Amino acid sequence: MPSTLWGLPAHPLVVHLVVFLVPLAVVATLVVALWPRARRVSAPWVLAVTTVAVLSIPLATSSGENLEHQVPHSALVERHAELADMLLPLAGAMWLGLAVLTGVGWYARRQPAAAPRWAGAVTVAAAVLAVGGAVASGVQVARIGHSGADAVWHDVAAHQGRR
């Protein structure tokens, strides 16, 4: 990934994909996991959006690592990078739960008479994984965003306090 886009650091531009898509995927996943009718109607679409959201995370972390080498090292930047590294596994859990929910639902609709007894238990387990991953991902995106803003603007706020 290039370190700049149109002469600007790539990270602040690319990170907006994550900031938009992950919360969108979180809300949509919660709806699909907790509302069976929504699951039947929109689970494949939500899975597609969530897939793009999860794939955007490595782009943001890669561009962040490039930027990290260009700015002065600080504890705030280090904390931001550590928090960002935790997002992919959390979003991956959300995606996995949603993928299983979508697959089991698709199978059960195609074979209603032959739907296995375990489909209900797998659906509940997948919903729990999807909801847990979604909530954790939403919280983590907020934590990452706050730490990134703190790393960027902390000197400005410190100087304003001296006036």
Side-chain angles (χ1 to χ4, degrees), residues 28-46 98 101-102 105-106 109 123 127:
T29 296
L30 290 172
V31 169
V32 165
L34 299 172
W35 189 14
R37 181 178 165 128
R39 187 177 317 140
R40 285 189 296 275
V41 173
S42 59
W45 296 106
V46 173
L98 183 58
L101 274 175
T102 303
W106 179 83
R109 282 190 302 281
T123 298

Side-chain angles (χ1 to χ4, degrees), residues 105-113:
W106 179 83
Y107 180 78
R109 282 190 302 281
R110 298 287 183 270
Q111 307 288 333

Side-chain angles (χ1 to χ4, degrees), residues 11-72:
H11 184 64
L13 300 171
V14 173
V15 78
H16 283 84
L17 285 171
V18 174
V19 170
F20 174 74
L21 289 174
V22 171
L24 176 65
V26 164
V27 170
T29 296
L30 290 172
V31 169
V32 165
L34 299 172
W35 189 14
R37 181 178 165 128
R39 187 177 317 140
R40 285 189 296 275
V41 173
S42 59
W45 296 106
V46 173
L47 182 60
V49 168
T50 303
T51 299
V52 175
V54 169
L55 292 175
S56 72
I57 294 168
L59 294 174
T61 54
S62 174
S63 66
E65 288 169 1
N66 288 340
L67 183 59
E68 186 177 11
H69 298 299
Q70 298 172 11
V71 298

